[in-house]
Amino acid sequence: MVGQSATPVGVQTSISDLGTPLAATTFVVLDLETTGTSATKARVTEVGAVRVRGGEVLGEFTALVDPGVLIPAAITLLTGITQSMVATAPPMEEVLPEVLAFLDAEPDTVLVAHNAPFDTGFLKAACERHGVDWPGYPVVDTLRLARALLPRGETRNHRLATLAAFFGVPVTPNHRALDDARATVGVLHGLIERLGPMGVSSLEELRAVNKPPSRAQQAKRHLAEGLPDGPGVYVFTDARGASLYVGKSNNLRRRVRSYFTAAESRQRIREMAAVVEGVTPIECPTELEASVRELRIIAERKPPYNRRSRNPERASWVKLTTDAYPRLSVVRAVKDDGAPHIGPYASARDAEQAKEALLHVFPLRQCTHTFSARKRIDPCVLAQLGRCGAPCDGTETHDAYTVHADAARTAMTGDPAAVVTAHTGRIAELAAALRYEEAATLRDRLTAFLRGARRAQRLSAIAAVPHLVASRRSALGWETCVVRHGRLAASAVLRPGTDPAAFLASLVATAEYVPAGSGPSPRALPAETELVLDWLTDPATRLVDIDGDWTCPLRSAEAHTEMTHWAHGRASAQ
């Protein structure tokens, strides 16, 4: 168990918990008329917008715009907007601030349009041309919603005029911006009413709709009834009680309900709805504890419908062995033998790349022989290539070999400068010679090494701390966690009016006992310790008490984080 339990009341939910009620959401429904279909070549001729909330119209905006170019005859025929009508209209650089001001008049505005990529594309292009940052509003596309909810047999097509007639909207679209925006308001309300019986009642659910819920999903909607509104972990189970899927949330009831609405579009989860028979809630006093419990349960039960975190034992580490002549090895587990490790890596391939980065700098043996003074071993080709000093036949003395091994140990557990300098220098040489593929290979090896070294160094630092207490303010009070050797040992919320001294004494006394261990993450899953680290290093977290020292090497791999992020970005773009 992870510490004390408490029953949170009225927890502030996050976006991930699908909690913004549609009735409280401010929508600005927008329509643009333009000189063509290309946002880069065509220009806006008219803007119309309607602000609505809870079904009530709060305001309207309309303006003709001088596009600065001739309006094609076909566009005039379609919209009725002529060149003379826009001759005295203001240009877009004057209208754009007014449009954005209308959008920003209410906090947390949601932009709505029919075929939204068209309208937002023109607005973004206008912002870019006139040096204005696009605010990045949340967007709802009524065309996409209609395609998801109304099959072709029910409506002829999904054009705005067709949908307006289908929903009985009093305004007929006529390719003028304000009237089309008004018609889109009616279509939006019709679609929202259509989604009500499907369980969609929040903005986040609305934006996630891809198609109606299956019959199996609708039939299982009752499973969310009676679940708590606070943070915790939920476990979907089948008729035999076996775990099917595990997740976490700040609001258990609301999150579980979303699985049985049109907002849930993942095919495997829709398939799961056919076999799920129950939901087990596990309430947690803090969000961190919920995240940790989720990881532990997934790793333990390996539910078939979870894709991530199911097999932490498959992670790979790079280890410098404890032999008399140490060598680098990719291993699955960290043993209590005092050997340095870097990682963990999600794949053996990444671990091999990190290993190659070390071997590029340090001439360590790669053979698996056990050396003996009585048995001579002939040197391999690596010795002939100068990549190994051949301690196997005595060419390199034990003392000389130990120098290389100690340098590799330092690079793994402390200062990686030797590896960084060697690789960046060689990468520069290869790039200058236009040998970009070879340079990219070295870059990837260096990045893999630095990531693994950084992870291991951060994990080792917190794993060495026997006891730590930290707090962070939340809507309910102070979330307080006890961490021992990198493992979450307890968590609870210090509420207003509670005696802090008594609260801390009780929390510490009932926290899980966690013994010391060896290695970067001996008493917890590495992913758990990293969750704890992220929570501890957040600027809002306050350190309350600590036994021992929590330190990292002065010139650690952490100093090269920017390099690894840059390399990762370049690699992802290729």
Side-chain angles (χ1 to χ4, degrees), residues 217-299:
Q217 284 178 290
Q218 293 180 358
K220 303 298 173 64
R221 214 179 286 162
H222 66 280
L223 294 176
E225 296 174 4
L227 295 181
D229 289 323
V233 176
Y234 51 91
V235 182
F236 287 113
T237 55
D238 62 15
R240 299 177 294 106
S243 300
L244 297 172
Y245 183 86
V246 178
K248 67 174 177 63
S249 174
N250 292 337
N251 187 308
L252 289 168
R253 181 185 58 80
R254 191 170 288 148
R255 184 68 183 106
V256 169
R257 183 175 64 84
S258 74
Y259 282 86
F260 308 111
T261 71
E264 181 51 71
S265 60
R266 291 171 292 178
Q267 185 59 36
R268 73 182 190 284
I269 300 301
R270 287 183 170 233
E271 292 173 0
M272 182 190 71
V275 294
V276 65
E277 293 294 335
V279 182
T280 302
I282 304 172
E283 292 187 80
C284 299
T286 63
E287 294 181 36
L288 177 60
E289 181 172 325
S291 298
V292 166
R293 280 185 178 271
E294 179 194 30
L295 279 176
R296 293 180 185 176
I297 294 172
I298 291 174

Side-chain angles (χ1 to χ4, degrees), residues 19 45 54 58 168 171 184 194 268 278 305 335 391 435 437 492 501 517 526:
T45 58
L58 304 178
V171 180
T184 305
R194 183 102 173 188
R268 73 182 190 284
Y305 288 95
K335 294 183 179 179
R435 295 161 63 182
E437 290 187 5

Side-chain angles (χ1 to χ4, degrees), residues 7-21 24 108 204 228-232 249-252 254 284-288 472-477 479 493 495:
T7 304
V9 180
V11 172
Q12 175 66 40
T13 59
S14 68
I15 286 179
S16 63
D17 291 311
L18 310 175
T20 308
D108 303 321
E204 291 73 24
D229 289 323
S249 174
N250 292 337
N251 187 308
L252 289 168
R254 191 170 288 148
C284 299
T286 63
E287 294 181 36
L288 177 60
R472 180 196 296 179
R473 186 184 290 277
S474 70
L476 296 178
E479 294 184 356
V493 177
R495 300 176 184 274

Side-chain angles (χ1 to χ4, degrees), residues 331-368:
V331 297
R332 288 289 193 189
V334 177
K335 294 183 179 179
D336 191 4
D337 57 5
H341 295 75
I342 59 173
Y345 292 96
S347 68
R349 178 180 177 274
D350 291 340
E352 288 289 349
Q353 284 191 315
K355 175 183 169 183
E356 288 297 324
L358 286 163
L359 291 173
H360 177 78
V361 182
F362 307 112
L364 301 176
R365 69 184 182 100
Q366 299 183 45
C367 62
T368 58

Side-chain angles (χ1 to χ4, degrees), residues 464-487:
V465 178
H467 175 79
L468 180 152
V469 182
S471 242
R472 180 196 296 179
R473 186 184 290 277
S474 70
L476 296 178
W478 285 88
E479 294 184 356
T480 308
C481 298
V482 179
V483 178
R484 291 172 175 169
H485 296 294
R487 181 181 178 87

